Each structure stands twice: as structure tokens, then as C-alpha cells.
Amino acid sequence: MKSRLGTGFAILALTAALAACGGSSGTAPASSPAGTASAPATSAAPSATSTGTSSAAVDLKTASSSAGTIVVDAKGMSVYFFTKDTKDSGTSACADACLKAWPPLTTTSATPSADGVTGKLGTITTADGKQQVTLEGMPLYYFAKDTKPGDVLGQGVNNVWYLADPSGSMIQTASGAAY
């Protein structure tokens, strides 16, 4: 009985630790650091087309949202650009606490696939050795407070986080009542 109880606690601890890490499998953790401004909730409607993906591959597609046509992952989760990143630098400016609130969109594919995305896709290597997806040379991220497909809560946060459009541009419309 003690062995089963100990094993159960070990599994719970491992599950909690993995949930706190977030981002490694393209899922966002449920919390973000204090002091992060966010816009009111709005949902985007994922497009009906999907390229079909395995858990190891990253597929991007487009969806309609209050911000217009945006890029989402295969599950309909919105992806964002960080204005502090430098195009084609091969690195991300988001680190430590930033990565908890803005997990990178990662892939195991050397060439991520997309449906309806016209911008150039690529990858960069993260600090922990994973491959982060880029669009037009800029790394892509999730927002931890986006908990379901169609959420666009990260749009305009701190005036440095913006949704991606299919051509690879940032959608830098005003945040606030429009979102």
C-alpha cells in the first residue's frame, strides 16, 4: 500500500511539474506573471480546414478573429509576435518569466507546414535545444491566458505582443475595446 501511495504522489508531483513548465508541447500554462496587462476576452473562429497533424508536427492555419484573419496552430490556438525580437537574428528575446507567460511554438519538423499561411516559415533553436517556429524570420509564441481555441487575449499586451497575420506581419491595431 505504501508503495502505491508513494508512486501516486510521485506521479502527481511529475504532472504538476510538467504543467508548470508549459510550452514544450505547444500547450500554454494556466498562469502568467503579475503586472501583465491584457485586453478583454474575444474569440477567434478557427478555419474549417486543417492539414491534420501528429503530436510531433506543428501545422499552422488561418482563422477569423475580431482582429481579422490571423495565424493559429492546428488546434486553433492563436500565435503571437514579440516586438523585442529581431527579425532573422536566430534568437528569441523572451526568456525566463517571459517564457512562462509566452511559451514558444515549437516543432520537431525542420520545415513546419501551413495551410493558408503565405509568409515564410522556419525555425530557430531555443535555449533548451528545441526548435521554435518562425514566420518571416520572427519567433512565434502562445499566450498563457489563451486557454481555448479562438482566444486572442494576448493581442496588444504591453504594446509589444501582437497576433500574426498570414503574410507574416504583426497585426498592430489598437488594443482595448476592439478586442
Side-chain angles (χ1 to χ4, degrees), residues 101-144:
W102 300 92
L105 170 64
T106 60
T107 183
T108 58
S109 173
T111 55
S113 63
D115 183 18
V117 177
T118 58
K120 181 181 176 190
L121 294 173
T123 62
I124 61 171
T125 304
T126 63
D128 62 357
K130 294 184 172 85
Q131 293 299 303
Q132 183 171 4
V133 178
T134 61
L135 180 56
E136 289 298 321
M138 293 286 286
L140 293 173
Y141 306 85
Y142 293 106
F143 182 44

